[in-house]
Amino acid sequence: MINRSHRSYGSFACSEDAPDGLGLPSSQAYDMDRGRDDLEPIVQDGRGGTSLTSPRELPDNETSNSSSFVSKRRAYLTLGILLFVNLLNYMDRYTVSGVLIKIKKYYHDLGNSEAGLIQTAFICSYMVFSPVFGYLGDRYTRKYLMAGGILLWALFTLASSFIPADYYYGFVLLRAMVGIGEASYSTIAPTIIADLFAKDLRTQALMIFYFAIPVGSGLGYIVGSNVADLLGSWQWALRVTPGLGVICVILIIFFSVEPQRGMSEGNNVHLSNTAVKTDLKELALNKSFVLSTVGFTCVAFVTGALAFLAPTFMTYSTQFQGTPQTEAFISLIFGIITVAAGFLGVALGAQISQRWKRTNPRADPLTCALGLISCVPFLFFALVISRYNTLITWILIFLGETMLCLNWAVTADILLYVVIPTRRSLAESVQILISHAFGDAISPYIIGQISDTLASKSIDPNRPAVQFPAMQTALYLTTFVCVFGGAFYLATALFVEKDKKRAELTTKDAAAAVKERCEVPSPIPAVTNGSGDGLNVMRSVVV
């Protein structure tokens, strides 16, 4: 019998077949009362589950069927594939925005709220199915889940381009179905990056991955609007991405790698999953995760509103000023600005946080707060000046989007280091669900509804002279949401050190438990099966 000064952490195992029970080392200095219960089913034997192993480096020309180590070449190739798919993901998402005025006319002069419903339906299905893929992503082969989802998204996107003008709600339904496919990818891809890269290298990899958000969005505006003009029909804008989606499926299945969960953390531990109820409870008690998720919801609200409505708003702005520009030209300019602001903002956010962390461990949430709060004056004055000068408005939009983009890679990094490896897909899905449910799923519709209500007071609400001031007033809401989000990131900074340390200790203590258990001799004599064979049917340590 081995006595311990504290309670058991549950069942752990090493390379032996029979599971043993063992308490973690009593030298644990960190108070982890929740963590003790939380650890219970995490570690299992080498025959199943997922591994948290130190990746052994292979030469670039050497490969292995085992996912417990990955060569640099395979890791960066996988990152490149994920980047390409993410580009296509956001390109597809905002292609509709680049031709929104044409869609409104095609479906019998839709109002702004009805137009916003197209994006709202997409985001709603996207967020609802994210937890489904989060659960699956923590338990099954992730690259096959992504491949299947991308194929669905490509098929539904193509099908939506053939919906007749009298079936507006059929178009909305198919756009909603596209969200199912995108949920599979957005939920799972960051967790693969987390398993391939660690520490500063992970931050840089996430920075590269999240370049795809502004760049893909910008390409959506540019390609969608210009393909529609070139071929004379907005439907062709939706027929560009499906073919590229099939290419992505092939790349993921045959060329990407499936790393073991937690591989980059470097501990030789085999991890398995806890119950979903336990996972959700632990996420709800993780203050850094909850607060940063609320902050990111504000980011999603603002970016969703601007991304979907800004090209239409700027088209009305030029018409209001008496210097009208085509929707294709406005979408081209907005796309270029979005790409440039995204490159600069994502890179700047990652670099600021990485350098700031050398002197301040709370740098990540502080960087996010800086981005949101700094965005406010640029966005506010862009709306004010849009009545008078288009060029200055574009400049202010560029600066505002740059500040807003500081958050993308950094928020993802926060989630990945305050959540243990076997919960990351679920955590990603929960964050997607909440941020979209209260963010970009509702912001286009809310702002569209406010705009329609204001415009309805006019005799002719469809005139640009009416639509522009109504939409301008509605968009002021985004500046208040930015301030609100910045406050929640500041609150995150109060807890991020403790939550990061707790996640690290949870993982390290699991490794220590396995090592110590494997070194403890069995105190129970072998039990024979009656034939004289010494069959050891149970080995245990009483705690």
Side-chain angles (χ1 to χ4, degrees):
M1 176 178 292
I2 298 178
N3 293 320
R4 298 290 182 191
S5 60
H6 54 68
R7 55 179 169 167
S8 171
Y9 278 55
S11 299
F12 296 83
C14 56
S15 59
E16 298 169 342
D17 293 341
D20 296 346
L22 184 69
L24 285 178
S26 58
S27 61
Q28 175 62 282
Y30 190 69
D31 183 12
M32 293 170 57
D33 287 338
R34 285 191 293 111
R36 290 167 180 162
D37 296 332
D38 181 33
L39 280 170
E40 187 172 3
I42 288 179
V43 184
Q44 69 175 38
D45 62 42
R47 296 191 196 185
T50 53
S51 175
L52 190 62
T53 58
S54 179
R56 181 170 67 84
E57 194 61 58
L58 292 177
D60 283 348
N61 60 351
E62 184 179 345
T63 60
S64 171
N65 293 328
S66 173
S67 57
S68 61
F69 48 80
V70 177
S71 70
K72 283 185 178 179
R73 184 180 67 179
R74 291 296 302 279
Y76 284 111
L77 176 61
T78 300
L79 176 61
I81 293 171
L82 296 179
L83 171 63
F84 176 60
V85 180
N86 210 25
L87 280 169
L88 190 61
N89 178 6
Y90 281 89
M91 180 178 167
D92 176 82
R93 188 177 300 187
Y94 291 108
T95 296
V96 170
S97 301
V99 292
L100 188 58
I101 291 178
K102 292 182 176 66
I103 292 175
K104 288 171 67 176
K105 290 180 179 178
Y106 179 80
Y107 287 108
H108 307 302
D109 293 324
L110 299 174
N112 289 324
S113 58
E114 291 174 305
L117 184 61
I118 298 171
Q119 188 73 349
T120 297
F122 163 81
I123 295 297
C124 284
S125 67
Y126 173 65
M127 69 184 188
V128 167
F129 281 91
S130 291
V132 176
F133 285 104
Y135 174 85
L136 297 174
D138 281 330
R139 290 159 175 81
Y140 299 99
T141 305
R142 291 169 287 185
K143 71 176 188 176
Y144 295 136
L145 290 170
M146 289 193 299
I150 293 167
L151 186 59
L152 283 178
W153 132 34
L155 293 174
F156 285 128
T157 298
L158 182 62
S160 68
S161 70
F162 294 99
I163 301 299
D166 293 331
Y167 295 91
Y168 159 71
Y169 286 105
F171 180 76
V172 172
L173 177 62
L174 284 177
R175 287 303 297 174
M177 294 299 101
V178 172
I180 299 175
E182 291 201 15
S184 69
Y185 175 77
S186 298
T187 302
I188 294 171
T191 69
I192 293 179
I193 293 174
D195 292 336
L196 290 172
F197 303 96
K199 298 183 179 179
D200 286 350
L201 201 57
R202 177 187 292 171
T203 301
Q204 294 170 11
L206 289 170
M207 176 187 72
I208 293 170
F209 178 74
Y210 283 107
F211 275 146
I213 293 177
V215 175
S217 302
L219 289 174
Y221 302 126
I222 295 168
V223 174
S225 59
N226 285 277
V227 166
D229 275 5
L230 180 65
L231 299 177
S233 172
W234 65 266
Q235 285 89 342
W236 284 103
L238 300 179
R239 296 168 186 168
V240 175
T241 55
L244 296 174
V246 174
I247 295 174
C248 289
V249 171
I250 296 171
L251 290 174
I252 286 176
I253 292 175
F254 295 104
F255 296 98
S256 68
V257 68
E258 172 78 12
Q260 290 187 347
R261 291 163 180 82
M263 185 182 73
S264 63
E265 267 77 359
N267 295 305
N268 189 20
V269 179
H270 291 267
L271 299 175
S272 65
N273 303 96
T274 52
V276 174
K277 182 179 179 180
T278 301
D279 291 344
L280 292 174
K281 176 184 175 183
E282 289 300 317
L283 291 177
L285 293 171
N286 189 321
K287 295 182 178 66
S288 296
F289 172 75
V290 171
L291 293 170
S292 63
T293 295
V294 177
F296 189 66
T297 300
C298 297
V299 175
F301 186 98
V302 176
T303 55
L306 295 179
F308 196 71
L309 297 174
T312 301
F313 171 72
M314 288 305 296
T315 301
Y316 289 144
S317 172
T318 60
Q319 293 171 348
F320 181 83
Q321 294 177 52
T323 56
Q325 301 289 342
T326 65
E327 187 179 20
F329 179 76
I330 292 294
S331 294
L332 175 64
I333 298 300
F334 187 70
I336 292 171
I337 286 175
T338 301
V339 170
F343 260 108
L344 181 60
V346 173
L348 192 61
Q351 289 301 313
I352 289 174
S353 67
Q354 190 171 327
R355 294 175 184 274
W356 200 355
K357 274 190 289 190
R358 296 171 185 171
T359 58
N360 189 343
R362 301 175 178 179
D364 284 344
L366 292 176
T367 300
C368 294
L370 173 67
L372 270 178
I373 295 172
S374 299
C375 173
V376 173
F378 297 118
L379 185 55
F380 178 81
F381 286 109
L383 291 170
V384 172
I385 295 174
S386 61
R387 281 178 171 266
Y388 313 107
N389 190 297
T390 302
L391 177 60
I392 295 177
T393 302
W394 282 131
I395 293 172
L396 290 171
I397 288 174
F398 167 75
L399 295 173
E401 282 200 353
T402 300
M403 294 298 101
L404 199 58
C405 287
L406 295 185
N407 297 274
W408 290 103
V410 182
T411 299
D413 206 11
I414 293 172
L415 181 150
L416 293 170
Y417 63 61
V418 300
V419 176
I420 63 173
T422 50
R423 278 189 198 119
R424 285 173 180 164
S425 287
L426 184 63
E428 287 281 352
S429 69
V430 170
Q431 189 170 86
I432 287 173
L433 174 62
I434 294 173
S435 63
H436 289 301
F438 301 99
D440 53 351
I442 60 175
S443 62
Y445 182 79
I446 289 175
I447 290 174
Q449 189 64 55
I450 295 172
S451 176
D452 283 348
T453 301
L454 295 172
S456 66
K457 299 176 181 179
S458 173
I459 298 174
D460 185 5
N462 292 322
R463 289 186 302 123
V466 176
Q467 286 287 316
F468 167 71
M471 191 172 287
Q472 179 192 40
T473 302
L475 283 169
Y476 280 120
L477 177 62
T478 58
T479 60
F480 294 98
V481 174
C482 282
V483 175
F484 190 67
F488 272 92
Y489 276 118
L490 289 174
T492 305
L494 299 175
F495 304 100
V496 71
E497 285 183 273
K498 179 178 178 181
D499 290 333
K500 180 181 180 181
K501 183 178 181 181
R502 179 174 178 269
E504 290 174 347
L505 288 174
T506 299
T507 302
K508 291 178 181 178
D509 287 342
V514 170
K515 182 178 179 181
E516 182 177 348
R517 188 190 60 76
C518 291
E519 294 173 352
V520 175
S522 172
I524 306 297
V527 179
T528 64
N529 60 7
S531 61
D533 296 332
L535 179 63
N536 191 351
V537 296
M538 183 180 72
R539 302 169 65 193
S540 64
V541 178
V542 180
V543 181

